[in-house]
Amino acid sequence: MIFGFLLILSIGYSQTKQTHTYGVKDGEELKLDIYFPDNFDQNTSFPTIVWMHGGGFSGGSRDAPDETQLCQEITNRNYIAVSISYRLTRKGTKEGFGCDCPKEVKLETFQKASEDYLDAVQFLIRNRGKFKIDPEKVIAGGSSAGAEGILNAIFMKENWFDSKYEDVNFAGLISLAGAAVPEIKIDKINSIPAVFFHGAEDKTVPYETNPHHFCEKNKAGYLVLKGSRSIVEEYENLNQSYFLFTSLNGKHEWSGIPFEYLNQIFEFLRLTLEKKKFLTIEINID
């Protein structure tokens, strides 16, 4: 269902944005914004990045300034960009999403977010003719909570949802300060070319395999997650392409969109997805 249509510039399809509702859950309309590149052509299908914002599952928005700027940067590189809303199940709760939030609730939160993400991508794929999306070139992307959502969506898809999303597959992923539940299954098929940005001293979302928020074992919210470094180790064992950017002294600020590194990110995607090159890149900064 088309919710709205915004023409950012008035010539042709230049910087167009469409807003659609992809689902209704818990009484809430869930929307996504689709940004089209300047040279949008109805006879061409485009690679697409589907972005999931951060905010601890209690805040953030699909059309926040950084998300809007990112989508415009994506379209400048001849991709379609999509930014989605999803259920913020921890909004207004007393426990938030830290150590007082029970483990079972955290797992349910991850699963609902992943379901929303997969529903959004499925909506796009099923309407690929209208939106001119190439279903073989969909890249998942997210920041913080959004990165947790996309990582679990990719690596827990069959475990959590059986065959519901058989038509949803991804060509690559971009994770900013993300982590996933330890039960994830990474194999030769789903270990798609991946970009990870993370601070090694992140005390919110672990960089390696550690408790979420570094909660103590006696806390209700004690839940071990696999962070970027641990996921990359599995990629290394499978001999799969990855780009890991580590801020050795960085904390959770690396969940922010790294605009200054976008050229490097897109060059990695070009070489691994278009040119089919095998690449392992690690960058460490203080």
Side-chain angles (χ1 to χ4, degrees):
M1 179 178 72
I2 297 178
F3 177 76
F5 180 88
L6 174 64
L7 188 60
I8 298 175
L9 292 177
S10 60
I11 302 173
Y13 280 95
S14 181
Q15 288 295 315
T16 24
K17 182 178 83 170
Q18 295 181 11
T19 299
H20 296 260
T21 297
Y22 71 85
V24 179
K25 300 183 184 181
D26 302 328
E28 178 185 1
E29 286 190 339
L30 299 177
K31 299 177 174 58
L32 53 79
D33 293 334
I34 308 176
Y35 297 75
F36 297 94
D38 288 349
N39 66 338
F40 183 78
D41 182 349
Q42 287 283 5
N43 298 313
T44 304
S45 293
F46 288 79
T48 302
I49 297 178
V50 185
W51 192 259
M52 195 174 197
H53 67 80
F57 301 101
S58 63
S61 66
R62 72 180 189 278
D63 55 357
D66 277 1
E67 277 66 30
T68 299
Q69 182 181 344
L70 174 63
C71 288
Q72 292 170 349
E73 293 280 357
I74 291 169
T75 61
N76 288 343
R77 291 167 171 84
N78 209 31
Y79 287 72
I80 289 173
V82 182
S83 185
I84 76 161
S85 295
Y86 56 99
R87 285 173 289 181
L88 302 179
T89 52
R90 305 310 300 154
K91 186 175 183 177
T93 61
K94 182 176 67 175
E95 303 88 357
F97 202 55
C99 296
D100 293 329
C101 178
K103 171 184 176 180
E104 296 73 21
V105 174
K106 288 184 176 182
L107 290 171
E108 182 183 23
T109 298
F110 287 146
Q111 188 165 344
K112 285 185 175 181
S114 296
E115 180 184 56
D116 291 350
Y117 186 78
L118 290 167
D119 281 343
V121 177
Q122 191 172 64
F123 169 84
L124 293 166
I125 289 173
R126 291 182 176 177
N127 289 279
R128 59 187 177 273
K130 181 193 303 183
F131 303 137
K132 298 304 174 185
I133 287 170
D134 186 337
E136 302 300 319
K137 296 179 181 178
V138 177
I139 298 167
S143 166
S144 190
E148 292 169 335
I150 67 125
L151 290 173
N152 285 305
I154 293 168
F155 299 126
M156 288 293 287
K157 187 174 71 165
E158 284 76 22
N159 281 23
W160 280 348
F161 307 112
D162 295 322
S163 59
K164 182 180 178 182
Y165 299 106
E166 281 183 330
D167 57 338
V168 177
N169 293 291
F170 298 95
L173 72 87
I174 303 168
S175 169
L176 308 180
V181 297
E183 295 81 13
I184 57 174
K185 302 295 183 185
I186 302 178
D187 55 35
K188 275 285 189 180
I189 295 174
N190 66 14
S191 53
I192 50 183
V195 175
F196 301 93
F197 274 65
H198 217 136
E201 298 299 319
D202 192 332
K203 299 304 180 187
T204 302
V205 179
Y207 171 69
E208 299 178 293
T209 299
N210 276 305
H212 184 232
H213 282 261
F214 284 78
C215 301
E216 297 177 358
K217 283 189 175 181
N218 62 343
K219 294 293 186 179
Y222 178 80
L223 172 64
V224 173
L225 298 178
K226 284 187 175 181
S228 302
R229 176 76 262 178
S230 296
I231 295 173
V232 162
E233 287 172 2
E234 298 203 36
Y235 268 62
E236 289 174 325
N237 292 336
L238 293 165
N239 205 33
Q240 298 291 76
S241 292
Y242 69 85
F243 174 4
L244 173 64
F245 182 101
T246 303
S247 173
L248 299 174
N249 298 307
K251 297 182 173 61
H252 197 58
E253 70 273 8
W254 284 96
S255 64
I257 296 167
F259 290 105
E260 65 272 34
Y261 295 103
L262 288 184
N263 286 340
Q264 290 166 268
I265 292 171
F266 278 92
E267 180 64 4
F268 171 82
L269 295 176
R270 185 184 73 84
L271 292 173
T272 56
L273 301 184
E274 295 179 28
K275 302 300 182 182
K276 307 301 181 184
K277 290 191 175 181
F278 169 71
L279 293 176
T280 58
I281 300 171
E282 294 199 26
I283 298 175
N284 296 323
I285 66 167
D286 292 333

